[in-house]
mmCIF file of all heavy atoms in Angstrom:
data_model
loop_
_atom_site.group_PDB
_atom_site.id
_atom_site.type_symbol
_atom_site.label_atom_id
_atom_site.label_comp_id
_atom_site.label_asym_id
_atom_site.label_seq_id
_atom_site.Cartn_x
_atom_site.Cartn_y
_atom_site.Cartn_z
ATOM 1 N N HIS A 52 -12.384 12.974 31.985
ATOM 2 C CA HIS A 52 -12.782 11.579 31.720
ATOM 3 C C HIS A 52 -11.714 10.627 32.236
ATOM 4 O O HIS A 52 -10.698 10.398 31.583
ATOM 5 C CB HIS A 52 -12.998 11.373 30.212
ATOM 6 C CG HIS A 52 -13.593 10.045 29.855
ATOM 7 N ND1 HIS A 52 -14.491 9.871 28.838
ATOM 8 C CD2 HIS A 52 -13.418 8.808 30.392
ATOM 9 C CE1 HIS A 52 -14.833 8.604 28.760
ATOM 10 N NE2 HIS A 52 -14.185 7.924 29.693
ATOM 11 N N ASN A 53 -11.936 10.097 33.418
ATOM 12 C CA ASN A 53 -11.015 9.082 33.923
ATOM 13 C C ASN A 53 -11.764 8.113 34.828
ATOM 14 O O ASN A 53 -12.931 8.335 35.162
ATOM 15 C CB ASN A 53 -9.831 9.717 34.653
ATOM 16 C CG ASN A 53 -8.570 8.897 34.438
ATOM 17 O OD1 ASN A 53 -8.598 7.674 34.519
ATOM 18 N ND2 ASN A 53 -7.463 9.570 34.144
ATOM 19 N N HIS A 54 -11.091 7.034 35.185
ATOM 20 C CA HIS A 54 -11.696 5.982 36.013
ATOM 21 C C HIS A 54 -10.721 5.666 37.140
ATOM 22 O O HIS A 54 -9.675 5.060 36.905
ATOM 23 C CB HIS A 54 -11.981 4.737 35.171
ATOM 24 C CG HIS A 54 -12.856 5.031 33.990
ATOM 25 N ND1 HIS A 54 -14.226 5.087 34.084
ATOM 26 C CD2 HIS A 54 -12.561 5.319 32.699
ATOM 27 C CE1 HIS A 54 -14.732 5.385 32.887
ATOM 28 N NE2 HIS A 54 -13.735 5.536 32.045
ATOM 29 N N ILE A 78 -15.078 8.754 36.753
ATOM 30 C CA ILE A 78 -16.327 8.113 36.343
ATOM 31 C C ILE A 78 -16.321 6.753 37.017
ATOM 32 O O ILE A 78 -15.660 5.820 36.559
ATOM 33 C CB ILE A 78 -16.403 7.990 34.815
ATOM 34 C CG1 ILE A 78 -16.279 9.385 34.177
ATOM 35 C CG2 ILE A 78 -17.705 7.306 34.396
ATOM 36 C CD1 ILE A 78 -16.007 9.372 32.693
ATOM 37 N N MET A 80 -17.336 3.128 38.155
ATOM 38 C CA MET A 80 -18.071 2.045 37.506
ATOM 39 C C MET A 80 -18.791 1.210 38.564
ATOM 40 O O MET A 80 -19.357 0.167 38.268
ATOM 41 C CB MET A 80 -17.111 1.200 36.664
ATOM 42 C CG MET A 80 -16.588 2.034 35.482
ATOM 43 S SD MET A 80 -15.194 1.320 34.609
ATOM 44 C CE MET A 80 -16.035 0.215 33.489
ATOM 45 N N TRP A 106 -22.587 5.881 37.584
ATOM 46 C CA TRP A 106 -22.649 4.886 36.503
ATOM 47 C C TRP A 106 -24.049 4.319 36.479
ATOM 48 O O TRP A 106 -24.626 4.048 37.541
ATOM 49 C CB TRP A 106 -21.632 3.787 36.800
ATOM 50 C CG TRP A 106 -21.391 2.760 35.723
ATOM 51 C CD1 TRP A 106 -21.946 1.522 35.659
ATOM 52 C CD2 TRP A 106 -20.505 2.870 34.610
ATOM 53 N NE1 TRP A 106 -21.456 0.849 34.560
ATOM 54 C CE2 TRP A 106 -20.563 1.654 33.901
ATOM 55 C CE3 TRP A 106 -19.646 3.875 34.132
ATOM 56 C CZ2 TRP A 106 -19.815 1.416 32.739
ATOM 57 C CZ3 TRP A 106 -18.907 3.642 32.992
ATOM 58 C CH2 TRP A 106 -18.990 2.417 32.308
ATOM 59 N N LYS A 137 -23.083 8.582 33.758
ATOM 60 C CA LYS A 137 -22.582 8.046 32.492
ATOM 61 C C LYS A 137 -23.403 6.847 32.036
ATOM 62 O O LYS A 137 -23.676 5.929 32.812
ATOM 63 C CB LYS A 137 -21.128 7.608 32.676
ATOM 64 C CG LYS A 137 -20.605 6.755 31.535
ATOM 65 C CD LYS A 137 -19.293 7.246 31.011
ATOM 66 C CE LYS A 137 -18.710 6.320 29.983
ATOM 67 N NZ LYS A 137 -17.273 6.282 29.998
ATOM 68 N N TRP A 139 -23.168 3.866 29.274
ATOM 69 C CA TRP A 139 -22.097 3.209 28.532
ATOM 70 C C TRP A 139 -22.629 2.520 27.284
ATOM 71 O O TRP A 139 -23.836 2.405 27.064
ATOM 72 C CB TRP A 139 -21.409 2.213 29.484
ATOM 73 C CG TRP A 139 -20.078 1.729 29.046
ATOM 74 C CD1 TRP A 139 -19.020 2.493 28.618
ATOM 75 C CD2 TRP A 139 -19.645 0.369 29.016
ATOM 76 N NE1 TRP A 139 -17.954 1.685 28.337
ATOM 77 C CE2 TRP A 139 -18.306 0.380 28.553
ATOM 78 C CE3 TRP A 139 -20.259 -0.852 29.328
ATOM 79 C CZ2 TRP A 139 -17.573 -0.799 28.394
ATOM 80 C CZ3 TRP A 139 -19.530 -2.022 29.166
ATOM 81 C CH2 TRP A 139 -18.198 -1.994 28.714
ATOM 82 N N MET A 176 -23.419 11.749 30.365
ATOM 83 C CA MET A 176 -22.365 11.391 29.410
ATOM 84 C C MET A 176 -22.757 10.100 28.696
ATOM 85 O O MET A 176 -23.164 9.136 29.340
ATOM 86 C CB MET A 176 -21.026 11.198 30.121
ATOM 87 C CG MET A 176 -19.870 10.879 29.167
ATOM 88 S SD MET A 176 -18.335 10.448 30.010
ATOM 89 C CE MET A 176 -17.715 12.062 30.474
ATOM 90 N N HIS A 178 -21.299 7.148 26.233
ATOM 91 C CA HIS A 178 -20.320 6.438 25.416
ATOM 92 C C HIS A 178 -21.137 5.441 24.603
ATOM 93 O O HIS A 178 -21.457 4.363 25.096
ATOM 94 C CB HIS A 178 -19.266 5.737 26.289
ATOM 95 C CG HIS A 178 -18.351 4.824 25.516
ATOM 96 N ND1 HIS A 178 -17.163 4.364 26.017
ATOM 97 C CD2 HIS A 178 -18.456 4.287 24.282
ATOM 98 C CE1 HIS A 178 -16.575 3.580 25.114
ATOM 99 N NE2 HIS A 178 -17.348 3.510 24.059
ATOM 100 N N ALA A 236 -18.880 11.296 24.790
ATOM 101 C CA ALA A 236 -17.511 10.897 25.119
ATOM 102 C C ALA A 236 -16.737 10.504 23.868
ATOM 103 O O ALA A 236 -17.327 10.177 22.829
ATOM 104 C CB ALA A 236 -17.524 9.740 26.111
ATOM 105 N N HIS A 237 -15.421 10.544 23.994
ATOM 106 C CA HIS A 237 -14.527 10.082 22.915
ATOM 107 C C HIS A 237 -14.824 10.775 21.577
ATOM 108 O O HIS A 237 -15.043 10.101 20.568
ATOM 109 C CB HIS A 237 -14.630 8.548 22.757
ATOM 110 C CG HIS A 237 -14.502 7.800 24.047
ATOM 111 N ND1 HIS A 237 -13.395 7.897 24.863
ATOM 112 C CD2 HIS A 237 -15.342 6.951 24.694
ATOM 113 C CE1 HIS A 237 -13.558 7.141 25.930
ATOM 114 N NE2 HIS A 237 -14.741 6.562 25.876
ATOM 115 N N ASP A 261 -15.714 15.032 24.782
ATOM 116 C CA ASP A 261 -14.398 14.914 25.419
ATOM 117 C C ASP A 261 -13.467 14.170 24.467
ATOM 118 O O ASP A 261 -13.916 13.503 23.535
ATOM 119 C CB ASP A 261 -14.500 14.267 26.813
ATOM 120 C CG ASP A 261 -14.647 12.753 26.789
ATOM 121 O OD1 ASP A 261 -13.870 12.077 26.087
ATOM 122 O OD2 ASP A 261 -15.519 12.220 27.515
ATOM 123 N N ALA A 264 -8.985 9.185 25.359
ATOM 124 C CA ALA A 264 -8.481 8.031 24.597
ATOM 125 C C ALA A 264 -8.605 8.202 23.089
ATOM 126 O O ALA A 264 -8.729 7.218 22.361
ATOM 127 C CB ALA A 264 -9.176 6.743 25.050
ATOM 128 N N ASP A 292 -8.961 9.173 29.978
ATOM 129 C CA ASP A 292 -9.453 7.797 30.005
ATOM 130 C C ASP A 292 -8.299 6.795 30.090
ATOM 131 O O ASP A 292 -8.417 5.673 29.600
ATOM 132 C CB ASP A 292 -10.312 7.520 28.759
ATOM 133 C CG ASP A 292 -11.251 6.335 28.946
ATOM 134 O OD1 ASP A 292 -11.463 5.929 30.102
ATOM 135 O OD2 ASP A 292 -11.762 5.798 27.945
HETATM 136 ZN ZN1 ZN B 1 -13.987 5.873 29.929
#
Side-chain angles (χ1 to χ4, degrees):
H52 188 144
N53 214 316
H54 303 277
I78 302 166
M80 293 167 84
W106 188 262
K137 167 130 174 213
W139 196 50
M176 182 187 281
H178 171 164
H237 311 302
D261 79 49
D292 201 16

